[in-house]
Amino acid sequence: MLASGAGFVVAALLVLACAWSSYVAAARLFPSASAAVRFSAQFVIAWYGLVAVFFALAAWSGFRAWIALPLCFLIALVCWLKVRSAPRQARADLRAIRDGWTGLGRVVRAIVIGFGALLLARLARGLVAPPLAWDSLTYHLVHAARFVQSGGFVREIAPDNWSYYEYFPTAGEVLWAWAMLPVGSDALLALAGTGVVLATAVSAFACARSLEVPRETATLMAISVAASPALLAWVTSGYVDNIVVALAGAGSLFIIRNGARPNTRDAALAMAAFGLAASVKITAVPLMLCGLAAVSVQALMSPSGTRSAAQRVWQLALPVLPACVLLVHLLQTWAHTGNPLYPFAVELFGVNLFEGNGEWPWRWLVEMGKEYQPPAGSLTPVERAVGVFWPWGRGGTNSGVHLGFGPAGVALLALAPIGGVALLARRERRVAALFLVATAWSAIYAFTLSPFSDHLQHFYSTNAGRYLGTAGIALAVMASVARIPAERAIWSGIAVITLAFGLPSGVSPIEWPAAIAVALAVLGLTGLVVLLGRNLASTSATGRVARGLGIVVAIFALGTGLSEVRDDLRFRVYAASAERAAFDGHALWPAFASSWTIWQAVDRLPAERIAVSTGWAGLLHNGYRYPLFGSRLQHELVYVAPTRSGEIIDYRLAQRLRREADMDAWLGRLIDRDVTLLVTLQPDTMPESAWAKALPEIFSPLATSTSGGSHAYRFDRDRARARLESK
């Protein structure tokens, strides 16, 4: 791993290399398109390239900094040498951005600045605070950290929820792994998440402009989408839902373009985006299928002209190829589990084709699904629906924060049918209109009518926004097409209301001073880059080198200072999270977050191999493991079965586990796997915890959570070996 300042410099070079390579490809594919279209294509190509490079390197454990980073730099160098026209195109696109900015009215420009300030505040908070989002601490960042440590895919064989986390699609977590790779920490996760939100805004803007929506309306609509609490609340969380929304927006753009003049470039970019989205979350498969249907119909409806039958088949088949990125996940999962859609069970006409995870249906359908009886005082269906848009009702907030679409979402919902009808009236837009409707409906159906909808509505209604993000962007694009009186005033109001509900939340008082200082530093660095980058083409070679070195020194200084700030705040913020005073999206469970004292004690140690186990809490979601990796990802986490045979038994099956538990067999495995620390997370009901307490000569206490329910021990392998040999 690289030192903090140097790591930031390398990360900046990686971003530059990736951005340049993908921009060159976008410029070659779309030389006559608008700048927004090229930037949207750049996002899809960059994301596709990062995933493809990761998959290729991970197949042989080659996802290492000394391999992956030079490879990216080499690709960028080849693009620079082979495509000399790209710099001219880039300068033209930057001029187009400047001209577009000057063409906006003062009110719209003020709203854009407000959005930028809001996003900067979110970014600054994410740069100074550690990851705080529930799912990221349990599995998203656990996977990303393991990718960086191992150089590739490592499947963890473990009980309970860990047994199916491993088989969720990984393409979303690949972005977090790339962000971790240069710096060997989570310091840049917020920057990666901010880039995703910006890509969403650009794609939404490009969709509207491709539908001939006025520039100001398109700008305000894009802000209304990107600044929605449903997206903005998760920008620094490490969740992957925003990536799906960004890819859905980019794919929709190329579906819209393909309707006017069907071609393989737009169709292929659309399917690349949708294939990536399904590789991020399997729930995006309906989106991918809607996209496939759209590009197929568009190809069949296009005039055949002089094309041969083979050419028409190629036009139909080529767009499917980029979507095959999903096959990597499906084939890997099939090879490991015998079921490509694991942990889901697959049935057809009542016939069970593939077995699912035994705990997955137990969780979703028995406890929380069809057999779940909501307690007295639970939200009614009307309250849940209203809560998606109205933050002042019982169902409108989670941890006091609105995570839906806000009141402005009602306006988008009202305008979308008007815009949809207008699109259907134009022949070349009909397929795109039907695609947008199908995209919105598929997400709404999953949340309201699918077999899992009871569980989602009862337990995740206050988080509904992130499940409905693809519907949100589809409806917003349709709404922008509606021509209405006082259009700019109405859309300005929608954008302002959206921004008002996107203000940072879950920020503890100890974070604000550092966040403000970092925000100012980021602004200063941005200004420096703009200043030194002006008139670069007419500057001498020596001048260019001097300017480049100035930027490098500034980034190095920022990275060094930021690392010190993060180290100082890390465990103070984690302590605040245990009091529900600091969080991302919604608060952590205090009893589980009380393990911050263990995280701190472990973080001070050099590289260790830590065996982790956690009792059954009825949630399946209580193992906050990511902080145990350490702030520099220096520790390795493993699971060691406590059973006689080594069989993995879920902790929820307590009686069976007690019958099969064997302390000596467990000690032997700890020795064989070179474990140096043991961490038991509450509830303190697992056999390992009882054994560790009964053998203080082998397990010496290291730290205890503030709740007293979680423990860390130093494992003495020599004494454990002596105990086993004495029997």
Side-chain angles (χ1 to χ4, degrees):
M1 300 301 179
L2 298 169
S4 55
F8 273 70
V9 172
V10 174
L13 293 175
L14 174 63
V15 171
L16 183 62
C18 182
W20 179 249
S21 303
S22 54
Y23 179 81
V24 167
R28 289 292 296 270
L29 287 172
F30 303 100
S32 58
S34 68
V37 170
R38 264 190 296 280
F39 291 145
S40 297
Q42 178 186 19
F43 166 68
V44 175
I45 294 167
W47 185 231
Y48 205 97
L50 289 174
V51 171
V53 170
F54 172 82
F55 283 164
L57 295 179
W60 50 282
S61 300
F63 185 65
R64 311 282 184 180
W66 61 274
I67 298 175
L69 300 180
L71 178 61
C72 292
F73 300 151
L74 179 62
I75 294 172
L77 178 61
V78 170
C79 291
W80 179 269
L81 295 176
K82 292 293 185 181
V83 186
R84 293 302 180 94
S85 61
R88 290 194 299 273
Q89 184 68 72
R91 288 192 290 271
D93 284 345
L94 292 176
R95 286 194 298 271
I97 294 174
R98 182 193 61 196
D99 295 342
W101 170 257
T102 56
L104 296 175
R106 285 180 294 179
V107 172
V108 178
R109 275 192 274 181
I111 293 173
V112 174
I113 292 172
F115 171 61
L118 196 60
L119 197 57
L120 177 61
R122 295 270 184 177
L123 169 63
R125 189 283 174 104
L127 287 174
V128 301
L132 292 166
W134 194 310
D135 288 12
S136 293
L137 299 188
T138 52
Y139 69 94
H140 282 310
L141 298 184
V142 171
H143 293 168
R146 198 181 294 134
F147 294 160
V148 174
Q149 287 184 336
S150 65
F153 297 107
V154 176
R155 301 291 186 185
E156 180 183 43
I157 308 302
D160 295 324
N161 51 330
W162 299 348
S163 64
Y164 57 77
Y165 285 160
E166 296 301 301
Y167 298 100
F168 286 172
T170 57
E173 288 142 6
V174 166
L175 177 60
W176 314 140
W178 276 106
M180 290 176 173
L181 190 65
V183 292
S185 73
D186 49 43
L188 295 177
L189 293 177
L191 193 61
T194 302
V196 171
V197 171
L198 288 174
T200 304
V202 172
S203 295
F205 173 84
C207 284
R209 293 293 288 158
S210 295
L211 293 172
E212 300 170 7
V213 173
R215 180 181 297 277
E216 289 191 336
T217 300
T219 301
L220 294 168
M221 182 275 291
I223 290 174
S224 300
V225 170
S228 167
L231 272 71
L232 208 57
W234 310 104
V235 65
T236 63
S237 67
Y239 282 22
V240 299
D241 306 82
N242 284 2
I243 301 175
V244 174
V245 177
L247 289 167
S252 300
L253 165 64
F254 295 108
I255 291 288
I256 292 168
R257 284 174 49 84
N258 197 49
R261 183 178 296 176
N263 62 88
T264 53
R265 290 174 301 174
D266 285 304
L269 260 291
M271 291 312 300
F274 298 142
L276 283 171
S279 299
V280 171
K281 291 194 75 167
I282 203 70
T283 50
V285 166
L287 170 69
M288 184 183 73
L289 295 178
C290 290
L292 179 60
V295 297
S296 299
V297 171
Q298 287 171 334
L300 292 172
M301 290 177 61
S302 64
S304 59
T306 59
R307 288 176 297 171
S308 65
Q311 289 174 320
R312 289 186 64 82
V313 170
W314 177 246
Q315 186 180 6
L316 285 168
L318 179 62
V320 179
L321 297 179
C324 290
V325 66
L326 176 61
L327 289 177
V328 176
H329 166 71
L330 297 179
L331 293 176
Q332 281 186 333
T333 305
W334 197 348
H336 280 89
T337 68
N339 175 1
L341 295 177
Y342 190 88
F344 295 98
V346 181
E347 293 185 4
L348 183 63
F349 303 118
V351 178
N352 188 18
L353 300 180
F354 297 107
E355 292 289 339
N357 180 280
E359 191 149 315
W360 181 265
W362 186 93
R363 174 191 183 189
W364 288 81
L365 300 181
V366 180
E367 183 196 21
M368 303 178 182
K370 293 180 179 178
E371 297 183 17
Y372 176 76
Q373 296 297 321
S378 295
L379 297 174
T380 66
V382 172
E383 286 177 319
R384 291 194 294 266
V386 170
V388 175
F389 303 100
W390 200 251
W392 297 287
R394 284 206 306 146
T397 63
N398 188 323
S399 302
V401 180
H402 182 62
L403 300 174
F405 295 98
V410 178
L412 297 180
L413 201 61
L415 291 173
I418 302 174
V421 170
L423 288 176
L424 288 171
R426 300 175 59 180
R427 182 178 182 278
E428 72 277 11
R429 302 299 189 195
R430 287 174 188 167
V431 175
L434 292 174
F435 164 78
L436 292 172
V437 170
T439 296
W441 173 245
S442 64
I444 295 170
Y445 170 84
F447 192 78
T448 58
L449 299 173
S450 73
F452 296 150
S453 61
D454 284 346
H455 163 269
L456 290 171
Q457 291 178 45
H458 284 305
F459 288 87
Y460 289 96
S461 60
T462 54
N463 300 340
R466 68 187 181 96
Y467 299 105
L468 299 172
T470 53
I473 194 169
L475 293 172
V477 169
M478 287 192 290
S480 70
V481 179
R483 303 279 70 83
I484 53 177
E487 184 172 315
R488 185 170 70 172
I490 290 174
W491 275 103
S492 295
I494 292 173
V496 169
I497 293 172
T498 302
L499 290 175
F501 285 94
L503 294 172
S505 54
V507 184
S508 61
I510 61 173
E511 300 171 69
W512 276 117
I516 292 171
V518 167
L520 294 175
V522 170
L523 277 177
L525 177 62
T526 304
L528 179 66
V529 171
V530 171
L531 179 64
L532 296 182
R534 294 181 64 182
N535 302 319
L536 199 61
S538 58
T539 306
S540 66
T542 303
R544 294 179 192 177
V545 171
R547 292 186 182 191
L549 287 176
I551 294 173
V552 166
V553 170
I555 293 173
F556 184 92
L558 177 62
T560 302
L562 184 59
S563 296
E564 293 179 359
V565 170
R566 287 178 62 84
D567 288 344
D568 176 64
L569 286 177
R570 189 175 186 88
F571 296 103
R572 294 163 60 195
V573 174
Y574 275 142
S577 74
E579 304 294 331
R580 293 181 177 263
F583 54 84
D584 253 338
H586 54 80
L588 299 174
W589 197 285
F592 304 147
S594 71
S595 295
W596 70 268
T597 50
I598 295 176
W599 306 340
Q600 184 178 40
V602 167
D603 190 67
R604 294 168 177 165
L605 302 175
E608 305 279 356
R609 178 168 291 176
I610 307 174
V612 185
S613 60
T614 181
W616 172 252
L619 292 170
L620 309 166
H621 206 30
N622 53 298
Y624 296 165
R625 291 181 295 164
Y626 172 71
L628 293 172
F629 280 95
S631 58
R632 298 293 181 266
L633 307 183
Q634 69 266 35
H635 303 311
E636 180 185 357
L637 306 188
V638 298
Y639 174 74
V640 179
T643 56
R644 185 176 301 105
S645 64
E647 178 187 4
I648 305 295
I649 298 177
D650 290 342
Y651 285 98
R652 68 183 175 87
L653 306 175
Q655 293 183 355
R656 182 187 171 199
L657 181 59
R658 281 194 293 269
R659 288 195 304 268
E660 297 294 329
D662 187 293
M663 182 174 63
D664 289 344
W666 176 65
L667 288 173
R669 291 190 197 98
L670 291 177
I671 295 170
D672 292 341
R673 299 194 66 177
D674 295 324
V675 168
T676 57
L677 297 179
L678 170 69
V679 173
T680 59
L681 302 175
Q682 69 180 71
D684 198 14
T685 56
M686 70 289 283
E688 301 96 305
S689 181
W691 295 335
K693 293 175 182 177
L695 298 172
E697 70 279 5
I698 295 177
F699 296 95
S700 54
L702 177 67
T704 301
S705 64
T706 57
S707 68
S710 299
H711 307 274
Y713 304 91
R714 171 70 68 181
F715 176 57
D716 192 322
R717 285 174 291 175
D718 293 334
R719 290 187 177 183
R721 188 178 292 108
R723 173 187 171 86
L724 295 178
E725 291 174 350
S726 66
K727 292 190 173 184

